[in-house]
Amino acid sequence: SVTESFARMIHGLKVDHLTDGVIQRSKRMILDSLGVGFLGTGTEVFHKVTQYSKIYSSNTSSTVWGQPDFRLPPTYAAFVNGVA
């Protein structure tokens, strides 16, 4: 399938396969995502989603951006961080 083919390609990808331009742009995009995410932790919708998600618990947990003492099940942490 297309998904399997794409997964095989990604799995076999090594840093030396990438050009300097791709590496630099990737670094910039990662920094952009982090910056926007951290800025988003100050929004009203982030706080509402955070409060809503507190009702969920799990044996495993993940961190939420900007909330060092607040952990959620991985699915909900990803959701809350995505909202940010």
Side-chain angles (χ1 to χ4, degrees):
S1 73
V2 172
T3 304
E4 289 171 335
S5 176
F6 184 68
R8 262 193 306 283
M9 183 194 72
I10 295 298
H11 181 71
L13 192 62
K14 306 286 185 238
V15 174
D16 57 330
H17 294 141
L18 305 174
T19 65
D20 287 339
V22 168
I23 293 170
Q24 293 305 315
R25 184 162 182 161
S26 297
K27 288 178 180 180
R28 170 131 176 130
M29 292 170 77
I30 290 168
L31 286 174
D32 183 59
S33 295
L34 291 172
V36 169
F38 284 124
L39 183 64
T41 63
T43 64
E44 183 179 344
V45 70
F46 174 81
H47 293 293
K48 285 182 180 181
V49 169
T50 300
Q51 291 302 319
Y52 170 78
S53 296
K54 285 182 178 181
I55 64 174
Y56 298 101
S57 63
S58 171
N59 292 336
T60 59
S61 64
S62 297
T63 57
V64 174
W65 287 357
Q67 309 287 318
D69 299 326
F70 180 48
R71 297 180 69 83
L72 289 170
T75 302
Y76 291 99
F79 172 68
V80 171
N81 288 336
V83 166

